[in-house]
Each structure stands twice: as C-alpha cells, then as structure tokens.
C-alpha cells in the first residue's frame, strides 16, 4: 500500500504500470469543490497478482472516470471464486491535509472509518473531531511504513509515525 497518487489522471499522463507502483491502492482527485478517493483493499484480486508487471495498474479516461485494474490475461473457469473489495469516498473537507499527510473520514459497512495517507515520512499528532476522543479503533489495513500508537484516540489526538509514503484505514469500534 505504500504508493499513493494524488491529482487528476490525464489522458496524456504516462501509464501507471504494476512494476513501477506495485502496491498502489488509492487514487485521490481534488477539485475546488471536493475530494474523491478510490481505494482498493489488498484482499483477493486487490493484491494485483493477476496483472503482469508491464501491465497498467490504474485506468483514467477522458470522461474523468478512474478505475483500479484488478484482472487481465488470466482465464478463470466455472466454479472459480474470485473477489475484491474497495471503497469510493467523496468529501468536502478532510480532517487534516498538509504536505506530509492527508486524513479524511469515510464509511465502510455503516461504520465510520478514517483513511490516513502519509505522503512522506511523518511523526506527528493529528487532532480529530470531538466525536473520536476516547474511542477505540482497529486497523483494517496499513502499509508497513506506518505505525499508529495505541488503539484509543486521546484528547491530544492520534499519533502517526511513518518512515515513508503509505496508507492506513482505521475502523472505530462501537
């Protein structure tokens, strides 16, 4: 999950090949009005194992639609079970957005989650909205580069340490 791409994918942009960005999971577009995130979990076809190294891993087109490519050039037969999971999120204001980190809220299976994207190495506390204070959480998926201290949000916020770019998805317990 260490790879993050932010911005508008243009037709003239070079193709994103698996070999150059093998753990790509999230594409974020930002306009003057809002953000849009497309996140692919690493389970099932989301692990990109059915895509050749020289194949495209992410698709953007002229009608501003974006897709994670999860399968190519592999035949499946009747009875094969394949799956993948992902989430699209739209939001107007992130919890935090600076040169080192983007954090925003979303919902998965009717549960509030935080998506954290480290753009580079960081070591910081981020303040979360009041509704998160003292809530416990579970890390659903994260890059090896990221460490989140504890499993409960404190009044000081959430401590995030990363030794490079990466992503983390946190689910809050009821």
């Amino acid at each position: 999950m260490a790879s993050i791409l932010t911005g508008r994918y243009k037709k003239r942009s070079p193709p994103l090949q698996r070999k150059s960005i093998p753990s790509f999971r999230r594409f974020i577009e930002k306009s003057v009005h809002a953000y849009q995130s497309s996140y692919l979990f690493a389970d099932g076809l989301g692990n990109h194992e059915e895509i050749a190294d020289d194949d495209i891993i992410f698709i953007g087109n002229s009608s501003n639609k974006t897709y994670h490519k999860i399968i190519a050039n592999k035949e499946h037969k009747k009875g094969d079970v394949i799956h993948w999971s992902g989430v699209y999120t739209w939001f107007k204001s992130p919890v935090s957005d600076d040169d080192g980190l983007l954090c925003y809220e979303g919902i998965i299976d009717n549960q509030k989650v935080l998506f954290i994207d480290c753009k580079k190495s960081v070591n910081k506390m981020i303040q979360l909205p009041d509704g998160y204070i003292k809530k416990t959480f579970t890390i659903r998926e994260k890059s090896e580069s990221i460490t989140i201290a504890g499993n409960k949000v404190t009044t000081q916020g959430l401590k995030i340490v990363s030794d490079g770019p990466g992503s983390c998805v946190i689910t809050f317990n009821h």
Side-chain angles (χ1 to χ4, degrees):
M1 258 190 308
S3 301
I4 302 164
L5 184 64
T6 303
R8 184 168 296 281
Y9 185 86
K10 295 185 178 159
K11 211 172 182 182
R12 292 181 296 278
S13 297
L16 301 172
Q17 293 180 321
R18 180 176 182 238
K19 66 183 168 196
S20 64
I21 193 165
S23 54
F24 180 73
R25 295 278 171 261
R26 183 185 334 257
F27 181 78
I28 298 171
E29 292 180 280
K30 180 180 178 183
S31 74
V32 294
H33 304 291
Y35 296 72
Q36 173 183 314
S37 169
S38 171
Y39 187 89
L40 177 66
F41 286 101
D43 60 328
L45 294 176
N47 64 17
H48 296 130
E49 289 179 6
E50 295 197 16
I51 299 174
D53 282 345
D54 61 348
D55 202 350
I56 294 169
I57 199 166
F58 189 78
I59 302 165
N61 63 32
S62 60
S63 60
N64 294 326
K65 295 191 189 296
T66 56
Y67 304 93
H68 289 274
K69 186 173 183 178
I70 57 177
I71 191 169
N73 301 325
K74 179 164 183 186
E75 229 176 272
H76 288 274
K77 61 186 182 310
K78 186 176 181 178
D80 286 351
V81 176
I82 57 174
H83 74 281
W84 63 272
S85 62
V87 63
Y88 287 99
T89 307
W90 294 267
F91 55 99
K92 285 190 174 200
S93 300
V95 172
S96 178
D97 188 6
D98 59 33
D99 67 330
L101 183 139
L102 172 66
C103 176
Y104 58 95
E105 298 173 291
I107 295 180
I108 299 175
D109 296 330
N110 294 319
Q111 232 178 337
K112 194 175 274 196
V113 298
L114 280 182
F115 294 92
I116 300 168
D117 288 320
C118 294
K119 303 171 190 176
K120 61 183 183 178
S121 296
V122 297
N123 184 348
K124 66 187 293 184
M125 292 288 285
I126 59 169
Q127 275 306 122
L128 298 180
D130 289 341
Y132 289 100
I133 296 172
K134 296 186 180 178
K135 287 206 173 198
T136 59
F137 60 85
T138 303
I139 296 173
R140 175 165 177 170
E141 185 171 280
K142 76 174 194 69
S143 302
E144 289 181 22
S145 60
I146 295 178
T147 302
I148 307 289
N151 71 338
K152 190 175 194 176
V153 178
T154 68
T155 53
Q156 290 81 34
L158 192 62
K159 175 77 170 180
I160 301 168
V161 178
S162 180
D163 61 9
S167 300
C168 183
V169 180
I170 296 174
T171 302
F172 286 88
N173 305 322
H174 297 285

